[in-house]
């Protein structure tokens, strides 16, 4: 533990002109007294750590010293590819690994490029969860991530609407979609996708599984996500749309379904489009299409049309008569 901290301290000092004891203590999560002892230990080991005294003092490496301990380990190199996903790294327990990898990379850069990592970090950031959602890290994400990294099979208990089931899985990859973690795995020779927050137990098995070289995680997820989206659209609604309604349809309903409906739509003499839209169910369609207001008229099913008619009557009653003005005092 201390050896790793000493190496990290050298890399920190190599990547910056100087650092105060307080800055080093904050980076290494130790006390300033520990930093003093570590600096002395490095000096005794032949690393030229020099301490500048005074209020503006700190620690620095002298004589152009550069450590050769900048080679990336495999897990550090892999973590670098996720360095733009700080939340994901933290959730999977890889934050420290990525931090060490970035330090090694910074230490290996020439002085002219020292600001490159910070420059990029200040210009690009990914915030995966959707608005108004408080992301929650699944309790068993860390062991699932470990199994994915090491190609380890797992035994898992999974919670479904009809109860818990037990599965033996070969976890191939993790996907973070709108703040929700999914694992793509092979189970009994077939491919499955599971929500990580529905695992109630995960146990790593001995040994390693042989990864299918043909498996491509982005392609697999894109295909499964499209299948899932299509499977949700089990009902149909017939609409008459104005031009404005047609333009806004994809913004309030499933985009692919909206594009499909508009591509097959027929235009009447008044220029309005009659389209058949695939939706999840009437309840969902009501909430989505209500946002189009008078730009969309529901023609079928009759039950949904009547619901919109009731809503229209209620709005007319609410907004039809001008509100009486309050007497001025």
């Amino acid at each position: 533990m201390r050896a790793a901290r000493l190496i990290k301290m050298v890399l920190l000092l190599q990547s910056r002109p100087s650092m105060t004891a307080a800055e080093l203590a904050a980076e290494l999560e130790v006390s300033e007294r520990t930093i003093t002892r570590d600096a002395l230990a490095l000096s005794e080991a032949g690393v030229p750590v020099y301490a500048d005294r005074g209020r503006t003092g700190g620690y620095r490496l002298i004589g152009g010293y550069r450590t050769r301990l900048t080679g990336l380990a495999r897990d550090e190199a892999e973590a670098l590819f996720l360095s733009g996903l700080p939340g994901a790294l933290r959730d999977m327990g890889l934050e420290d690994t990525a931090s060490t990898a970035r330090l090694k990379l910074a230490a290996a850069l020439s002085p002219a490029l020292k600001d490159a990592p910070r420059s990029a970090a200040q210009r690009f950031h990914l915030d995966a969860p959707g608005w108004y959602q408080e992301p929650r890290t699944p309790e068993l994400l860390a062991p699932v991530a470990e199994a994915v990294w090491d190609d380890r099979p797992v035994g898992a208990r999974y919670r479904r609407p009809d109860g818990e089931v037990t599965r033996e899985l070969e976890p191939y990859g993790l996907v973070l979609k709108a703040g929700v973690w999914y694992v793509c795995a092979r189970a009994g020779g077939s491919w499955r996708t599971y929500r990580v927050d529905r695992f109630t137990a995960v146990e790593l098995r001995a040994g390693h599984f042989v990864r299918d070289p043909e498996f491509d995680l982005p392609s697999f997820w894109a295909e499964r996500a499209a299948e899932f989206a299509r499977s949700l659209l089990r009902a149909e609604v017939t609409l008459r749309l104005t031009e404005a309604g047609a333009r806004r349809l994809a913004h309030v309903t499933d985009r692919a379904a909206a594009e499909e409906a508009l591509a097959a739509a027929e235009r009447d003499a008044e220029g309005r489009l009659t389209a058949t839209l695939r939706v999840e169910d009437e309840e969902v369609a009501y909430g989505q299409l209500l946002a189009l207001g008078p730009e969309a008229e529901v023609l079928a099913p009759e039950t949904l049309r009547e619901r919109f008619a009731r809503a229209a009557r209620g709005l007319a009653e609410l907004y039809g008569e001008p509100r009486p003005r309050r007497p001025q005092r």
Side-chain angles (χ1 to χ4, degrees):
M1 183 70 177
R2 190 191 184 199
R5 188 176 70 243
L6 292 175
I7 292 172
K8 194 170 183 178
M9 183 173 174
V10 173
L11 292 171
L12 283 167
L13 293 174
Q14 188 171 311
S15 63
R16 308 182 194 182
S18 68
M19 294 183 69
T20 66
E23 290 172 337
L24 285 168
E27 287 279 358
L28 300 175
E29 298 181 350
V30 295
S31 67
E32 293 186 31
R33 182 172 296 181
T34 298
I35 294 299
T36 301
R37 289 197 298 266
D38 286 352
L40 179 60
L42 288 171
S43 295
E44 292 174 348
V47 179
V49 179
Y50 182 78
D52 291 316
R53 306 297 179 183
R55 294 178 59 189
T56 60
Y59 293 93
R60 60 186 173 88
L61 295 174
I62 60 176
Y65 178 85
R66 299 186 67 80
T67 178
R68 298 192 180 194
L69 296 171
T70 53
L72 293 176
R74 180 178 179 84
D75 60 344
E76 294 168 348
E78 290 172 335
L80 271 181
F81 288 98
L82 296 171
S83 58
L85 305 169
L89 284 168
R90 181 181 62 253
D91 293 346
M92 291 188 290
L94 297 173
E95 190 172 27
D96 290 342
T97 300
S99 175
T100 301
R102 286 192 294 268
L103 280 172
K104 288 185 176 182
L105 182 61
L109 294 174
S110 66
L113 298 176
K114 291 296 185 186
D115 66 335
R118 185 177 186 279
S119 175
Q122 292 301 318
R123 286 166 172 79
F124 301 99
H125 177 70
L126 175 63
D127 185 8
W131 289 106
Y132 314 116
Q133 295 181 5
E134 185 64 30
R136 295 182 180 180
T137 303
E139 293 183 6
L140 297 173
L141 177 61
V144 173
E146 181 181 350
V148 168
W149 282 116
D150 295 340
D151 296 340
R152 295 276 299 279
V154 301
R157 289 206 309 271
Y158 189 73
R159 185 178 66 254
R160 301 196 311 190
D162 57 347
E164 286 192 358
V165 295
T166 301
R167 292 287 184 267
E168 293 293 324
L169 306 176
E170 295 178 353
Y172 267 62
L174 282 164
V175 174
L176 179 59
K177 170 70 172 179
V180 179
W181 285 95
Y182 298 86
V183 61
C184 303
R186 188 162 55 184
S190 60
W191 297 99
R192 296 285 187 269
T193 302
Y194 301 89
R195 281 184 57 146
V196 179
D197 59 0
R198 293 180 182 170
F199 284 119
T200 59
V202 171
E203 181 180 346
L204 274 68
R205 302 302 193 203
H208 303 269
F209 63 83
V210 179
R211 180 174 285 265
D212 183 350
E214 301 297 322
F215 178 80
D216 180 73
L217 181 59
S219 299
F220 173 82
W221 177 258
E223 180 181 337
R224 288 305 173 93
E227 289 177 1
F228 177 72
R230 287 194 298 269
S231 71
L232 292 177
L233 306 179
R234 297 183 291 266
E236 289 185 346
V237 174
T238 304
L239 302 170
R240 185 181 289 128
L241 299 159
T242 64
E243 288 293 339
R247 287 195 301 270
R248 293 172 53 195
L249 186 63
H251 297 286
V252 299
T253 64
D254 180 82
R255 179 173 294 276
E259 292 175 351
E260 179 183 313
L262 293 174
E266 297 181 357
R267 190 178 299 275
D268 62 20
E270 298 177 359
R272 293 181 298 179
L273 293 172
T274 299
T276 300
L277 176 71
R278 292 185 298 121
V279 296
E280 289 187 44
D281 53 41
E282 289 190 19
E283 184 67 30
V284 172
Y286 176 76
Q288 293 174 334
L289 299 174
L290 198 60
L292 296 180
E295 308 302 331
E297 177 188 0
V298 174
L299 302 179
E302 188 60 34
T303 52
L304 183 60
R305 179 178 174 85
E306 178 55 32
R307 188 169 181 180
F308 271 90
R310 289 197 301 270
R313 290 193 293 270
L315 289 171
E317 292 176 4
L318 186 61
Y319 294 102
E321 297 293 334
R323 298 176 64 180
R325 293 183 179 181
R326 293 184 178 181
Q328 296 183 350
R329 295 181 180 178

